[in-house]
Amino acid sequence: MSSESTLRADIVEVGRRMYARGYTASNDGNISVRIDAQRLLMTPKSVCKGFMTPDMMCITDLEGRKLQGDRDPSSEMLMHLEVYRQRPDVQAVVHAHPPTATGFAVAGIPLDRAVLAEVLTTLGSIPIADYATPSTRELPEAVRKYIKAHDGMLLANHGALTVGTDLFGAYYKMETIEHFAKISLVARMLGRENVLSREEVTRLQGLRGTYGISAPAPICADPAEALGPGPGAAGAAGDATCQVVQAPAGDGRRLVLELTRGSGPSADGPQADGEIRLTYRELSALIDDAVRSIR
Ligand SMILES: [Zn+2]
């Protein structure tokens, strides 16, 4: 385990990078890391993450009591504490508002399509935790639903959260989420986002083991299980136990085509040739409806 002075310097460096890359504005965002089994090192409240110094950090226990530091700990401390409670393997937590990923969080669109191999092997899927008022007890409750099965998530109308077995690992996941969000946005603007097949997703998941990539949970075997009204990919307590990835089954060649709205007469509804094209999610929802009406 790194020394406390190294961890202080690492938090400063990660804060500087987040601010430089535009993941935070003003005093947004927060960072924490385990010092040992009982103590956390955390960014303080109301400071710009781009201009921190090592002496600014707070030390708290796992209940959030301040043990050391001139400043108060982050206003999102409760969210960090919840992550450490739920994930003994996690050593560091990073929260920021990267604009493209946060745009998806505002639009209510999870980053859960099977698009990029490096995302599937590392994060799997990136769900959206329900909206909760920042800095209140609602936020850790919203995060709890997904944190056992995911190393990264969007926070509805707020930002993104990533965790890791070390601080830079958590930070790099934040980079991956924002990078993925940018690529996905460009693909959608271009009018189509080709999605990898479920078979390829299975192959990529196998690479996790080959390359020793730690993932908190497997990709759900059946994505439809998370689309229905039942508990879906959730355990008895309603917490996710696997990662939902939208990928079509079949010959591996099927493409999900999304037409850009307003791009022509075929932008919505039936196409010019009379064919109706549906996304995988829409098709699954239709099948679910049909099954329910049969029952
Ligand atoms: Zn925030």
Side-chain angles (χ1 to χ4, degrees), residues 4-17:
E4 185 187 315
S5 62
T6 302
L7 294 173
R8 286 176 183 269
D10 287 350
I11 291 180
V12 169
E13 179 62 21
V14 166
R16 197 184 65 77
R17 291 184 191 210

Side-chain angles (χ1 to χ4, degrees), residues 57-128:
M57 307 306 158
C58 298
I59 296 178
T60 73
D61 65 15
L62 292 173
E63 277 72 52
R65 287 181 286 258
K66 188 167 88 171
L67 304 175
Q68 193 183 318
D70 297 333
R71 297 161 184 262
D72 286 335
S74 165
S75 55
E76 296 295 9
M77 178 176 67
L78 296 175
M79 176 171 70
H80 289 244
L81 296 175
E82 183 66 26
V83 173
Y84 291 114
R85 256 195 297 276
Q86 299 293 333
R87 292 283 301 275
D89 60 310
V90 161
Q91 298 296 317
V93 178
V94 171
H95 164 58
H97 304 169
T100 312
T102 303
F104 277 80
V106 170
I109 302 171
L111 290 163
D112 63 354
R113 289 185 183 172
V115 175
L116 297 174
E118 68 273 21
V119 175
L120 292 162
T121 50
T122 54
L123 285 150
S125 69
I126 301 132
I128 305 180

